[in-house]
Amino acid sequence: KMAAFSHWSCDEVSKWVESIGYPQYTACFTDNLINGRKLILINCSTLPRIGITDFEDMKVISRQIRELLSIEEPRWNRSIALPPRDTMGLYLEIRSRTGMRADSLTYSQFLKSTN
């Protein structure tokens, strides 16, 4: 079952951003229509595209998102050719899409399909 954050509206995401100490960035998330499903796509490489460019803030926000989504931080020494991926992160990436397949996919179904 998907965690509650995946059903958050853009306003709920912006309230969460404010709750982690970054009220100055709430508009960046709402203006870019970042809802709970799209949150999985937000990391240090995408934050500048939505208007967040302070590197220290980017690191903290990215870490907070990973903690919220319960996904591991990418290893700094992973191969860029075939980076190992956290299964929960991959699952949430698929769930961030819209459509019947994404809506109906369970984590156990996802795990079966990757083996």
Side-chain angles (χ1 to χ4, degrees):
K1 184 147 168 71
M2 282 296 284
F5 71 83
S6 68
H7 302 289
W8 286 357
S9 66
C10 296
D11 287 336
E12 289 169 311
V13 168
S14 70
K15 284 178 184 150
W16 175 80
V17 170
E18 187 171 355
S19 79
I20 63 168
Y22 294 96
Q24 69 272 34
Y25 297 132
T26 57
C28 296
F29 285 82
T30 52
D31 293 349
N32 288 282
L33 306 175
I34 305 299
N35 60 19
R37 279 191 135 161
K38 299 298 179 202
L39 207 51
I40 182 62
L41 305 174
I42 302 299
N43 56 38
C44 274
S45 62
T46 54
L47 285 169
R49 287 186 239 152
I50 68 168
I52 300 170
T53 56
D54 180 283
F55 187 63
E56 293 305 314
D57 292 353
M58 290 166 53
K59 289 192 304 188
V60 174
I61 293 168
S62 289
R63 189 184 77 244
Q64 291 284 339
I65 291 172
R66 284 192 310 272
E67 287 176 12
L68 175 71
L69 305 178
S70 299
I71 56 177
E72 296 173 18
E73 183 169 5
R75 292 176 55 107
W76 63 270
N77 62 349
R78 74 175 188 244
S79 163
I80 60 171
L82 292 171
R85 296 291 308 271
D86 171 36
T87 55
M88 178 57 77
L90 287 169
Y91 169 69
L92 293 173
E93 218 168 87
I94 291 171
R95 286 296 308 233
S96 72
R97 301 175 189 141
T98 56
M100 285 196 334
R101 182 178 178 272
D103 289 345
S104 65
L105 183 66
T106 65
Y107 188 59
S108 59
Q109 288 171 330
F110 170 76
L111 289 176
K112 286 178 191 170
S113 71
T114 59
N115 291 335

